[in-house]
Amino acid sequence: MDIWEKMYQKAKKEYRPQEISPFIYAHHVVSAIESENGDIYTGFCIESCCGVMDLCAERVAALNMYLNSGQTMIKRLIAFRDQPPHDKGSGMPCGACREFLLQLDLRNQDTEIMVDYEKRKTVKLKELMTDWWGMSRCQNK
């Protein structure tokens, strides 16, 4: 079993779409990330009517990693709904998640993101966030 299969299986356990209340819906998008030390952390999407409380699965997984280990660097990321990412555009982190990952740790620009699970096709975050506005701020640190 390769690392992507391990990550997929761990995230898949989180997939169980449910209405928590008439205002909150969760577990309809799931994610797994591999941290710098090789541990795998999962997360699920949670959406509410107020919008402010919404969190994507990728950010929840990253927050779980940080809360449980203090790590900020992510080697690999997979996100999906009811099936693994495929070549039709599923599995790509939204703009807010891309931004959060870069702000969390500049090394996350090298995070491999699963684009097509069956073909094991990936893209690096820096390919999705070219000419990122925060780069100069990080380099002046």
Side-chain angles (χ1 to χ4, degrees), residues 15-61:
Y15 184 78
R16 54 182 184 279
Q18 66 183 132
E19 280 190 24
I20 295 171
S21 77
F23 310 101
I24 299 176
Y25 187 61
H27 289 274
H28 55 289
V29 178
V30 295
S31 179
I33 59 174
E34 180 190 10
S35 66
E36 184 175 21
N37 74 358
D39 290 340
I40 298 172
Y41 296 89
T42 60
F44 57 87
C45 183
I46 184 164
E47 295 179 358
S48 67
C49 290
C50 69
V52 172
M53 298 302 294
D54 296 355
L55 282 172
C56 295
E58 298 92 315
R59 282 181 276 158
V60 171

Side-chain angles (χ1 to χ4, degrees), residues 56 58 77 79 89-99 101 113-115 123 125 128:
C56 295
E58 298 92 315
L77 180 151
S90 70
M92 291 298 263
C94 71
C97 287
R98 296 173 193 189
E99 181 70 32
L101 296 176
I113 300 166
M114 178 55 65
V115 177
V123 63
L125 181 58
L128 302 175

Side-chain angles (χ1 to χ4, degrees), residues 98 109-111 122-130:
R98 296 173 193 189
Q109 66 185 325
D110 291 320
T111 299
T122 63
V123 63
K124 290 197 175 192
L125 181 58
K126 63 184 167 190
E127 296 173 61
L128 302 175
M129 296 289 282
T130 59

